[in-house]
Amino acid sequence: MGRKATGSTWFDPVRRHWFAIVTKPDKSRKWVAMPDLMDPTDRETAKRMAAVISARWRERGMVDDESTETLAEYFKRWSASRLEHGLVTVSDDRGRFNKWIAEPIGALEMGRVTARDLESFVSKLDGKVRARELSWKTAIHVWGLLTKLFDDAHRCKDLTLRVRKDNPARDVRGPDRGDDRAGAYLFPAELAALLECEKIGQARRRLWAFAVYTGLRAGEARALDWSDVHEDEGFIHVHRAINRETGEIKSTKTGNARKVPIEPALLPVLEAMRGERKAGPVFPGMQARNTLPRALRADLKAAGVERPELHEDTPTTRRLDVHDLRHTYGTWRAIRGDDVIKIRFAMGHTDLATTQRYINEAQAWGSHGATFAPLPESLVKRCEPTLSRSNSAGSWWRRRESNPGPKTSRSLLLRA
């Protein structure tokens, strides 16, 4: 008969957890995390918990090597598999895991995570939301990541990722939801000021005009080729996008191709752009998605458009993003009275309820100017050779261009 399981303990100051050492059937030793215990001075509680954990390991008997894979180790394999399948959210998933999941429960053994562990984790997320350490929507995204991970661990088609006989997240309630923050969009007068401001390079002003007058997603605009633009027939064929992780061509977000009607006011600009570059990408230098939002807001300030809702985050509103130019397109079409089905297909929505948001926004429209007005003549003139950096509001832009990172590499040099 072996000696009594007293439980040896150790506090990791980096991961801020107590660990218990247990003996495996092959007589080797293993450190097991006790994530709910984070007080470095509470050694007595740690020893009592370690004794219970050690006894349980002895009662369970044989434990194979695969069952000792931690949640963090499994996540690396799982996210790598998702990246191979072309999923564009992998970078965001890795950031969320490393920031919000790795420390509290990443050291737990994947095969032994319980519903109780996840309930405790959700409770901590709710606490962080109440303390304003993260938004409720971020907490929802973090929980969605975990539920998908455990669902795949239970019944993934890839058998190498199927490591559990159950899904501990299935019956666990997720974080509390809060109020949605209102998104921003541009008024016609604000877009007019932006597009008429010659402090801003013509190539960038053309990009902003194109985004508002077509409603294409950023990845779709990057992948757009001149062979997809049919001025004579009056439509743009949208059937592919750029994978923001790998830079490779993929299908659109919904997997469906669509034809977007060309607004009459945009047609002269497209014809001028085609005259300068008859083939290849429409926006050949549009590369860095992370720099676009700041470029847009800097350009708005250079044009004197400083409405607070466009530049500041608040508990109820969020500042303007490049994707909000797509929202501007949908809202403007709804204000103009276009048929909701036509708006839905032009924007590539799979759910009519998504399109309905623009209809609701249009009902609250005030007197903010005519939508889809003629574009400035300066956008039709021949483009300068490179993107102008004379924007007085964009000092950050010059700093970034002088020392580009590995992914931004001369980002947004929209050459003619």
Side-chain angles (χ1 to χ4, degrees):
M1 182 176 177
R3 66 182 179 84
K4 182 180 179 181
T6 57
S8 299
T9 58
W10 169 67
F11 184 79
D12 185 340
V14 176
R15 286 184 280 185
R16 303 290 299 174
H17 292 312
W18 281 98
F19 285 75
I21 193 167
V22 298
T23 303
K24 296 169 62 176
D26 62 1
K27 306 303 181 182
S28 63
R29 311 271 276 179
K30 176 178 177 61
W31 288 103
V32 179
M34 298 184 286
D36 288 334
L37 189 59
M38 302 176 66
D39 184 355
T41 64
D42 196 358
R43 184 173 296 276
E44 290 303 316
T45 302
K47 291 183 69 174
R48 288 196 299 271
M49 291 180 64
V52 172
I53 291 173
S54 183
R56 286 178 179 173
W57 270 67
R58 290 190 181 189
E59 293 169 1
R60 284 172 180 161
M62 186 173 64
V63 180
D64 60 27
D65 289 338
E66 287 186 355
S67 69
T68 63
E69 181 180 46
T70 66
L71 174 58
E73 292 166 345
Y74 178 82
F75 174 78
K76 290 181 181 179
R77 292 199 298 119
W78 180 73
S79 60
S81 174
R82 287 166 66 81
L83 186 60
E84 288 177 2
H85 285 80
L87 295 176
V88 300
T89 60
V90 173
S91 177
D92 294 335
D93 290 343
R94 286 173 173 166
R96 290 176 184 130
F97 187 91
N98 292 333
K99 187 169 185 178
W100 304 110
I101 301 173
E103 181 178 333
I105 60 174
L108 294 178
E109 289 191 25
M110 184 61 190
R112 302 193 187 282
V113 176
T114 66
R116 183 73 177 193
D117 293 326
L118 298 181
E119 287 170 349
S120 175
F121 176 74
V122 170
S123 178
K124 290 175 182 176
L125 282 182
D126 285 337
K128 290 181 182 295
V129 171
R130 289 191 293 271
R132 298 186 181 277
E133 295 178 22
L134 80 165
S135 69
W136 69 265
K137 188 162 284 190
T138 299
I140 295 292
H141 288 322
V142 170
W143 178 241
L145 167 62
L146 267 185
T147 56
K148 176 58 178 172
L149 181 146
F150 279 106
D151 182 63
D152 281 349
H154 173 48
R155 58 193 187 103
C156 186
K157 291 181 179 179
D158 183 350
L159 297 182
T160 63
L161 294 174
R162 195 184 295 182
V163 298
R164 292 190 61 108
K165 295 181 180 180
D166 66 337
N167 178 358
R170 184 180 61 186
D171 297 323
V172 177
R173 290 188 175 183
D176 297 332
R177 298 183 67 89
D179 296 327
D180 279 317
R181 293 194 298 170
Y185 60 88
L186 291 176
F187 298 144
E190 292 171 334
L191 180 66
L194 174 66
L195 300 183
E196 290 169 359
C197 181
E198 297 195 8
K199 295 179 182 178
I200 306 164
Q202 184 194 53
R204 215 150 74 219
R205 285 184 287 139
R206 283 177 170 177
L207 175 62
W208 306 145
F210 181 88
V212 172
Y213 278 58
T214 64
L216 267 64
R217 300 179 179 93
E220 295 168 346
R222 281 191 197 94
L224 192 67
D225 190 90
W226 277 114
S227 61
D228 302 321
V229 181
H230 302 269
E231 297 99 314
D232 293 340
E233 294 80 8
F235 70 88
I236 297 172
H237 186 205
V238 182
H239 59 99
R240 55 191 170 186
I242 294 290
N243 185 314
R244 68 187 186 188
E245 299 293 336
T246 65
E248 298 175 350
I249 295 290
K250 66 179 188 70
S251 61
T252 62
K253 180 179 179 180
T254 59
N256 298 322
R258 67 187 190 275
K259 291 180 173 63
V260 177
I262 297 175
E263 293 290 334
L266 182 63
L267 189 58
V269 178
L270 290 178
E271 291 175 343
M273 292 171 65
R274 185 187 285 275
E276 297 162 10
R277 181 183 293 272
K278 299 183 183 299
V282 176
F283 297 105
M286 184 181 169
Q287 298 173 0
R289 67 184 178 95
N290 291 334
T291 61
L292 278 170
R294 288 192 293 170
L296 174 59
R297 292 190 294 270
D299 287 351
L300 284 168
K301 287 190 174 181
V305 179
E306 300 192 5
R307 180 159 56 97
E309 291 90 341
L310 302 178
H311 299 281
E312 299 172 8
D313 280 329
T314 73
T316 56
T317 62
R318 56 175 178 77
R319 60 188 177 181
L320 189 75
D321 196 307
V322 171
H323 196 71
D324 292 315
L325 299 183
R326 173 176 162 82
H327 295 172
T328 300
Y329 170 82
T331 304
W332 284 17
R333 288 201 61 176
I335 291 165
R336 190 170 60 183
D338 292 1
D339 183 81
V340 64
I341 300 299
K342 292 182 178 179
I343 300 175
R344 173 188 175 184
F345 282 111
M347 300 191 72
H349 293 152
T350 56
D351 188 351
L352 188 61
T354 305
T355 314
Q356 187 63 42
R357 292 183 303 171
Y358 303 112
I359 306 299
N360 296 338
E361 190 71 47
Q363 293 174 350
W365 183 263
S367 178
H368 298 296
T371 59
F372 300 108
L375 293 170
E377 189 66 27
S378 61
L379 298 186
V380 179
K381 297 177 182 178
R382 183 168 180 80
C383 182
E384 65 265 26
T386 58
L387 177 67
S388 170
R389 301 183 195 172
S390 61
N391 185 342
S392 60
S395 59
W396 66 269
W397 182 275
R398 290 190 290 277
R399 291 196 300 272
R400 185 129 187 172
E401 286 299 304
S402 64
N403 184 25
K407 290 187 177 180
T408 58
S409 63
R410 299 293 171 186
S411 54
L412 285 177
L413 289 182
L414 300 176
R415 294 181 173 83

